Amino acid sequence: MSKRYFKNTFSNTTPAVLNTSLDYWRERLHSLIEYVGQNSAECNDNDLYTGSTGVAYMFLNLAKSDGFKNDSARFLNKAIEILNLRAATHSSSKSACQFICGEAGVNAVSAAVYHHFGDEVLATQYLESYKKGASICKPIDFFKPGGDELFVGRAGYLSGVLWLEKIFGKQILANEDVIELCSAIVESGRKYSRRTRSMFPLMYSYYNTEYLGAAHGLCTILQMLISFPQFINNNQSARHDIKKSIDLLISLQSANGNFACAVDELGPRQRPERDELVHWCHGAPGVVYLLAKAYLVFKEPTYLESCLKCGDLVWEKGLLKKGPGICHGIAGNGYVFLLLYRLTGDTKHLNRALMFGEFMFTDECKKGSRIPDSLYSLYEGLAGTVCFLIDLTQPQKATFPFLDVF
């Protein structure tokens, strides 16, 4: 069986920082931006994951970036054009609180785009539509297959709140709403843990699988809970259970730095090493964001050590053959190094990120990579790649979409 990743032949001892200048990357970015923009209508959905809203997010990122200020208006207009192709329906369905794969993400990105465009009337309308989603996901069992995870659950809704707070520079949800949502996540996790006799004080399932990774699992749920000081600093019993769950998760980190996809792959049921997943969605490249946030919140060196182990694993096995995307591709793994660079200031990690960026333009990568099902999308395809390449030129501000820990 062939490996899931390309062999990393880059030097690990590059003496100086590689080129992060926009001029160096401009030509490569330009062709990718045009290619995605011309084909965005091929996105079948309007969500953030594989839909057109993810492409609009890419254009928003370009408009906000330091190196494309002269093109900001053009990129914002393109984002609006894409959003208008499939406008949000402003319904009161569950989708109104589902962020990555639902209407909440459409409302959030629309609010941000119109805010940057200067149309505060429309921005406020979309922002208010987003805020209405909070009441929908407060009931513990609002989505029985799994209402706590990132893509369609409360964790995703809260990640959108954090992102919108940075966009608008103000508090988005009242403290009472934030606390109710966080409390619902904790109570949901406790109930499930008691019922299944989990080793974790807080545990969750998504369609009957107890995932650990970022896409549907425990790590991003815990990350969101420790991202709201108004909750974590004022509920000591919740804080205890959250921290114990984080520490238990770290204890499951393998010798090479990875994390199992789900609880049913722990111990004797673990995947053979040749089959392990080193993706943002499943594995260390997604768990690292929880570890980094835990380090910033709790100040314990163990969390940073665990982050660095994730980075070394991604350096060895992160040049994925699944494609260039951020969910399960090279760009998503490259973001691990940008995170570690911001966390530590060590240019080794910036060099590693730049080398991952370089590799995507090699013949080896182009000929040996699988073409994503949603080629132009944010999470699976080239829109996410563009976001990563932009962030290579502004590493002090780099952040994986909607998972900024700083």
Side-chain angles (χ1 to χ4, degrees):
M1 181 179 176
S2 62
K3 290 182 177 178
R4 296 176 179 270
Y5 57 92
F6 298 98
K7 183 178 180 181
N8 188 343
T9 59
F10 288 112
S11 168
N12 200 22
T13 56
T14 307
V17 174
L18 297 173
N19 203 327
T20 60
S21 72
L22 183 68
D23 289 340
Y24 179 76
W25 293 99
R26 187 183 295 277
E27 186 175 344
R28 290 168 169 177
L29 271 166
H30 177 75
S31 58
L32 278 176
I33 293 163
E34 293 302 311
Y35 185 52
V36 174
Q38 289 167 5
N39 292 282
S40 59
E42 292 194 18
C43 295
N44 294 324
D45 304 307
N46 68 333
D47 64 16
L48 280 168
Y49 189 76
T50 56
S52 54
T53 301
V55 181
Y57 171 85
M58 180 199 84
F59 280 106
L60 173 63
N61 261 19
L62 283 162
K64 291 165 52 189
S65 67
D66 297 334
F68 285 98
K69 288 180 180 176
N70 292 339
D71 295 308
S72 180
R74 179 168 69 89
F75 289 138
L76 285 173
N77 277 312
K78 184 62 177 178
I80 290 170
E81 175 190 323
I82 291 169
L83 290 170
N84 285 340
L85 288 174
R86 297 185 181 90
T89 58
H90 306 291
S91 73
S92 59
S93 68
K94 290 182 179 67
S95 182
C97 66
Q98 296 175 336
F99 187 64
I100 304 297
C101 292
E103 188 183 313
V106 182
N107 284 326
V109 171
S110 299
V113 167
Y114 283 110
H115 173 67
H116 281 283
F117 189 72
D119 188 336
E120 293 302 332
V121 173
L122 272 178
T124 300
Q125 287 180 12
Y126 281 108
L127 189 60
E128 290 303 311
S129 293
Y130 187 87
K131 290 163 67 174
K132 288 176 183 175
S135 62
I136 296 170
C137 59
K138 283 179 183 179
I140 287 180
D141 296 323
F142 90 97
F143 185 64
K144 291 189 181 298
D148 295 290
E149 54 85 73
L150 185 70
F151 279 20
V152 297
R154 281 179 279 260
Y157 185 81
L158 288 172
S159 76
V161 171
L162 292 170
W163 181 69
L164 285 167
E165 285 182 347
K166 293 201 171 185
I167 292 290
F168 283 87
K170 64 180 183 181
Q171 187 169 352
I172 298 300
L173 278 187
N175 282 339
E176 309 88 81
D177 292 317
V178 168
I179 290 167
E180 279 190 64
L181 288 169
C182 291
S183 297
I185 292 175
V186 170
E187 183 56 29
S188 173
R190 284 172 172 164
K191 283 178 64 177
Y192 183 86
S193 178
R194 288 193 297 266
R195 188 169 75 249
T196 60
R197 298 181 181 179
S198 172
M199 62 179 162
F200 290 89
L202 305 175
M203 180 44 70
Y204 307 86
S205 73
Y206 183 68
Y207 286 95
N208 300 315
T209 298
E210 296 172 0
Y211 290 104
L212 298 175
H216 304 298
L218 181 65
C219 72
T220 39
I221 297 171
L222 297 175
Q223 181 186 337
M224 290 307 119
L225 289 173
I226 62 173
S227 295
F228 290 90
Q230 62 266 55
F231 176 72
I232 193 73
N233 293 337
N234 294 294
N235 189 326
Q236 291 307 306
S237 66
R239 183 185 179 96
H240 174 270
D241 286 354
I242 293 163
K243 189 173 187 304
K244 186 175 179 181
S245 297
I246 295 171
D247 292 341
L248 271 171
L249 184 60
I250 288 178
S251 75
L252 300 175
Q253 189 171 23
S254 65
N256 73 353
N258 207 10
F259 291 87
C261 298
V263 170
D264 61 9
E265 294 184 13
L266 293 172
R269 298 165 295 179
Q270 70 182 29
R271 291 175 183 238
E273 190 171 340
R274 69 178 183 274
D275 292 333
E276 70 176 339
L277 301 185
V278 184
H279 305 169
W280 169 78
C281 48
H282 301 294
V287 181
V288 71
Y289 296 93
L290 164 66
L291 303 175
K293 188 65 182 181
Y295 174 63
L296 294 171
V297 171
F298 299 111
K299 316 295 185 188
E300 294 183 11
T302 305
Y303 299 132
L304 179 59
E305 292 165 12
S306 190
C307 284
L308 296 174
K309 285 178 69 176
C310 292
D312 288 339
L313 169 73
V314 174
W315 175 245
E316 181 186 353
K317 297 185 176 183
L319 293 173
L320 300 176
K321 292 182 178 180
K322 292 197 78 170
I326 62 172
C327 184
H328 37 263
I330 295 171
N333 284 350
Y335 263 119
V336 172
F337 305 124
L338 291 175
L339 169 72
L340 294 178
Y341 174 63
R342 290 188 66 186
L343 198 63
T344 68
D346 187 342
T347 55
K348 175 182 80 171
H349 304 298
L350 179 55
N351 281 329
R352 287 178 167 185
L354 289 162
M355 285 185 266
F356 269 44
E358 291 280 1
F359 183 78
M360 287 191 284
F361 293 93
T362 64
D363 287 339
E364 181 184 10
C365 183
K366 291 176 183 176
K367 293 175 182 177
S369 295
R370 186 176 73 80
I371 297 175
D373 294 334
S374 301
L375 179 58
Y376 313 105
S377 67
L378 177 61
Y379 279 82
E380 288 191 353
L382 295 173
T385 308
V386 169
C387 290
F388 171 64
L389 296 177
I390 297 166
D391 278 344
L392 290 180
T393 72
Q394 48 183 27
Q396 298 288 359
K397 298 167 60 176
T399 176
F400 189 99
F402 312 112
L403 284 184
D404 191 1
V405 305
F406 299 98

